[in-house]
Structures are given as C-alpha cells and as structure tokens.
Amino acid sequence: MASTYLTPKEAADLIPGMTTSTLAQLRFKGQGPKFLKPTPRKVVYRERDVIDWLEASERTSTAEVA
C-alpha cells in the first residue's frame, strides 16, 4: 500500500485547531506525529502516522492523565 505524504500545512489541516507552528513545536519536543526529513530543510508526514497519532490521544474522561 502506497503512503500519502503531507506537508506540515496539509498535516495541520487534518487536525482540527492545529497550526503549522504548533506542529513545529511538537517536532522540536518529540511529542507530535512521526515525520520524515528527506532534506535538512524539508519535513513531510505520512498521512497514516498523523491519523495514528491523533487517534492515540483518545480519552473517555477529562480526568485521564495524558
């Protein structure tokens, strides 16, 4: 199955309320979705990795610790 690769803008558009700058901060902290760097200045995301990361944040209560 072929992967769909997304720019940071496209990845942010998949996640309601997400911005490219927030994604950049998450990358810096190692807390966001997995990403690839084919060149030193280029970042891309696999669509599946973004969806998996988002779905991993599922909670059933606001009292749960993230």
Side-chain angles (χ1 to χ4, degrees), residues 9-62:
K9 170 80 170 96
E10 292 168 330
D13 289 344
L14 279 181
I15 305 167
M18 183 64 68
T19 65
T20 56
S21 61
T22 300
L23 274 177
Q25 285 297 313
L26 291 170
R27 283 193 307 272
F28 179 77
K29 295 176 182 179
Q31 297 175 345
K34 291 189 269 185
F35 62 94
L36 299 98
K37 285 192 60 100
T39 69
R41 296 184 60 136
K42 186 69 174 175
V43 172
V44 294
Y45 294 89
R46 285 185 201 97
E47 183 177 33
R48 183 76 243 160
D49 290 338
V50 174
I51 293 168
D52 288 346
W53 175 79
L54 180 59
E55 290 179 351
S57 69
E58 181 177 30
R59 303 287 184 263
T60 58
S61 168
T62 59

